[in-house]
Amino acid sequence: MLIRTEPLSQRMQADFERLRAERRQRRQALEESGLLRREGELPAVSVSTTCGVDGAYALERLVATDLVAAAAVAVEGLTPPSETRFWPEPRHRVYVDAEAHEEETGTLARAVMMGMELELASQAPHDVVFLDGSLTTPLIYFNQALNRAIQAPDLRLTAHLRAHTLDYLKAYHTILQARRTDRAWVAVPKYSVRREIGERFKWEMDDRAMLTNLLEPGEFTDPQRLEPPRQPWHINLDLLPEEIRGQAEKLRDEIIHLLKEVRVVYYRPWAWLPALRLEMSRTVAENQARLATVIQALRFQCSAPGMLEPYPLYLADRMVKHLSRAVPALRQVTSQRLAVTYGGDIGDVFLNLHGYRTEGGR
């Protein structure tokens, strides 16, 4: 494998040399198109309060059951130090339960994680709220989970989704609508293959990779429409009770409409950072004062070279990553408590709670 790195590095060097040689021409084309903008063009705004929301889920496959955990956490930004408006507690959400063996469990747990993230983000009183991932991700996760839940009606996760999906959709709708002028929700996906700008210039790379090489520190791109999906967006709501299905369907239709209005901005705040992909509501992106608030907040929260994303998202990510490590500890504590109260052979407890595989994600 080490021997194969030599031709690999040679191919990558050739690609990087080509990018460097074509940089001036491509940057000039970007400037002439009117898409290239600078921080100085935006109006001056006061320092903003910020927070970041991230989540994770973990699934440990045991001999007799599955141990499921999902969590979401909100972390306040660096500058200013605190938000004086009321911020409801707890500033985290946790779901832990045991499930019968079922193939669909992970998909449902992921949707619960995403729903808890949206609830936290919609309740945060900060001027700018950062979300990990794309604004389209919740819709995809919800649709996958609600389709799979129909095939697993006996899971506790299915009952949880049936009871909470309407609340999750309301939070999602609030974030996409962004009606309040003192609040902006911004999704900051780490990885994206979308090419809203690249299609126009026929770039062979995705937008974030190319713009990392083209943008100078303090520059950003003019807001662009989100690239449409290959298939129409949809959420299957057949799982929900009839008394709330009509309300949920109305929310779903409005969410799909609002997703079509999402705008994308690429911004490079500092020389040590790659271009950041920002997804936000059209009401935020096309209002110069609200856009200036977002840009300034990102500049403050990305001021440490050791972090390649906004500080509150970085810290939230560090926290939730430990969830998969915590699940074996939860299993051990549960085993010890069962061993004290179980009336049968204590060996049955440890045998049935033996773990052989842990799955998870964010």
Side-chain angles (χ1 to χ4, degrees):
M1 291 180 68
L2 290 173
I3 292 173
R4 290 179 179 272
T5 59
E6 182 177 354
L8 176 63
S9 63
Q10 292 174 353
R11 286 195 296 271
M12 293 180 71
Q13 180 180 354
D15 292 338
F16 293 159
E17 291 289 353
R18 186 177 70 255
L19 277 174
R20 185 169 65 88
E22 298 174 353
R23 182 181 185 277
R24 179 178 297 179
Q25 178 183 356
R26 287 176 169 169
R27 181 175 168 83
Q28 182 179 357
L30 194 63
E31 288 180 345
E32 293 175 351
S33 69
L35 294 179
L36 190 60
R37 299 181 61 185
R38 295 167 179 82
E39 292 173 353
E41 302 174 12
L42 295 171
V45 293
S46 58
V47 178
S48 306
T49 58
T50 62
C51 78
V53 180
D54 202 355
Y57 72 95
L59 170 63
E60 187 164 22
R61 304 285 188 181
L62 309 179
V63 170
T65 187
D66 290 339
L67 186 57
V68 184
V73 62
V75 177
E76 198 162 39
L78 280 170
T79 306
S82 63
E83 170 58 64
T84 57
R85 290 171 290 190
F86 175 70
W87 192 10
E89 294 183 354
R91 291 153 194 172
H92 63 271
R93 298 284 189 277
V94 177
Y95 176 93
V96 180
D97 213 331
E99 293 281 16
H101 289 160
E102 184 66 56
E103 185 180 356
E104 321 298 346
T105 306
T107 302
L108 273 61
R110 186 174 61 183
V112 170
M113 170 206 76
M114 183 59 65
M116 294 190 298
E117 285 185 53
L118 294 174
E119 284 189 323
L120 282 176
S122 66
Q123 295 171 7
H126 300 73
D127 300 319
V128 180
V129 181
F130 299 114
L131 298 99
D132 186 72
S134 171
L135 285 177
T136 62
T137 302
L139 183 138
I140 296 170
Y141 285 178
F142 288 157
N143 189 49
Q144 290 175 346
L146 292 171
N147 278 320
R148 302 286 181 86
I150 295 174
Q151 304 170 20
D154 297 328
L155 287 179
R156 295 184 178 92
L157 279 166
T158 298
H160 183 89
L161 283 173
R162 184 181 291 113
H164 292 86
T165 293
L166 183 61
D167 293 331
Y168 294 161
L169 292 177
K170 288 178 180 178
Y172 194 15
H173 182 267
T174 298
I175 290 169
L176 290 174
Q177 195 175 35
R179 177 176 293 176
R180 292 184 54 163
T181 57
D182 63 341
R183 196 81 49 84
W185 288 272
V186 183
V188 189
K190 297 183 182 70
Y191 179 82
S192 176
V193 297
R194 296 182 184 272
R195 301 177 61 193
E196 289 90 357
I197 299 176
E199 286 291 336
R200 177 173 177 176
F201 296 100
K202 305 303 179 185
W203 292 339
E204 66 275 12
M205 300 175 68
D206 64 87
D207 286 355
R208 191 183 184 205
M210 183 63 72
L211 290 167
T212 294
N213 293 280
L214 296 182
L215 294 180
E216 297 288 347
E219 294 180 338
F220 63 96
T221 61
D222 199 57
Q224 302 294 302
R225 284 183 174 272
L226 183 72
E227 184 180 24
R230 296 178 181 177
Q231 297 180 348
W233 282 308
H234 180 67
I235 301 180
N236 185 356
L237 299 173
D238 293 344
L239 178 74
L240 301 189
E242 291 186 6
E243 58 268 21
I244 63 171
R245 193 179 303 168
Q247 186 179 356
E249 288 174 348
K250 181 180 178 181
L251 279 171
R252 175 196 61 193
D253 295 342
E254 292 180 5
I255 285 170
I256 291 173
H257 172 73
L258 290 169
L259 282 174
K260 297 176 183 178
E261 299 295 313
V262 167
R263 296 295 186 264
V264 178
V265 174
Y266 286 91
Y267 171 49
R268 192 177 180 199
W270 303 100
W272 59 77
L273 277 175
L276 299 174
R277 178 183 172 90
L278 314 175
E279 297 179 6
M280 63 195 84
S281 166
R282 180 174 64 87
T283 59
V284 174
E286 295 184 357
N287 182 303
Q288 293 303 291
R290 299 182 76 181
L291 180 60
T293 300
V294 171
I295 294 296
Q296 183 219 56
L298 277 160
R299 183 174 178 82
F300 274 108
Q301 299 305 318
C302 294
S303 56
M307 297 178 292
L308 299 182
E309 59 182 329
Y311 165 80
L313 278 183
Y314 173 83
L315 198 57
D317 179 79
R318 296 296 96 186
M319 290 181 180
V320 296
K321 270 188 175 178
H322 291 289
L323 181 65
S324 59
R325 300 176 187 175
V327 169
L330 297 176
R331 171 169 56 87
Q332 184 177 359
V333 172
T334 303
S335 301
Q336 291 173 347
R337 290 180 175 176
L338 275 173
V340 173
T341 58
Y342 185 62
D345 187 346
I346 192 174
D348 294 342
V349 173
F350 295 100
L351 187 63
N352 285 296
L353 294 185
H354 172 70
Y356 63 91
R357 187 174 67 188
T358 301
E359 305 170 7
R362 291 179 292 126

